[in-house]
Amino acid sequence: MSLPPFVWNAGTVAGASLWAIAFYWGFSPQSDRMFTALVQRLPAGLASLVGMVPWLGLGVLCEYLCDWSLGKSWGVSLGLLSALGCGVYELGRRSGRSQDGD
């Protein structure tokens, strides 16, 4: 059983980007720690670009696995659902943290 080739098109880029956003929001405490560590070694602009690389890599991997296992349109659909869910999680996490300080 061989894996199909990875083809870049608009749907692949959109799905990978949505998955990357979902991972970034879902793991935002780790993202913040990673960014802080990178800023100590690199300028802030470069640190933010380098900090996105792991999330983009995971996004591409999830997009590829969804396309391979479920079909072409499922990667974008599940990426959108994941991004929405992780966005709601991030809003709730920030809201809970601000209420703890009151």
Side-chain angles (χ1 to χ4, degrees):
M1 184 168 144
S2 64
L3 295 174
F6 191 74
V7 179
W8 288 98
N9 57 27
T12 303
V13 172
S17 301
L18 287 167
W19 277 107
I21 290 169
F23 282 119
Y24 181 77
W25 284 337
F27 295 102
S28 65
Q30 289 83 3
S31 298
D32 294 341
R33 280 191 293 251
M34 183 172 55
F35 178 71
T36 304
L38 286 171
V39 165
Q40 294 173 356
R41 297 175 187 248
L42 302 170
L46 185 60
S48 68
L49 290 175
V50 171
M52 286 188 273
V53 171
W55 311 120
L56 287 171
L58 283 172
V60 168
L61 179 66
C62 282
E63 173 66 22
Y64 179 72
L65 291 175
C66 285
D67 284 353
W68 174 65
S69 62
L70 299 173
K72 286 289 179 192
S73 64
W74 281 99
V76 176
S77 300
L78 291 176
L80 181 61
L81 286 173
S82 298
L84 287 172
C86 289
V88 169
Y89 163 75
E90 178 63 15
L91 288 173
R93 188 185 68 81
R94 288 185 183 197
S95 175
R97 186 175 54 186
S98 69
Q99 288 178 356
D100 289 341
D102 291 340

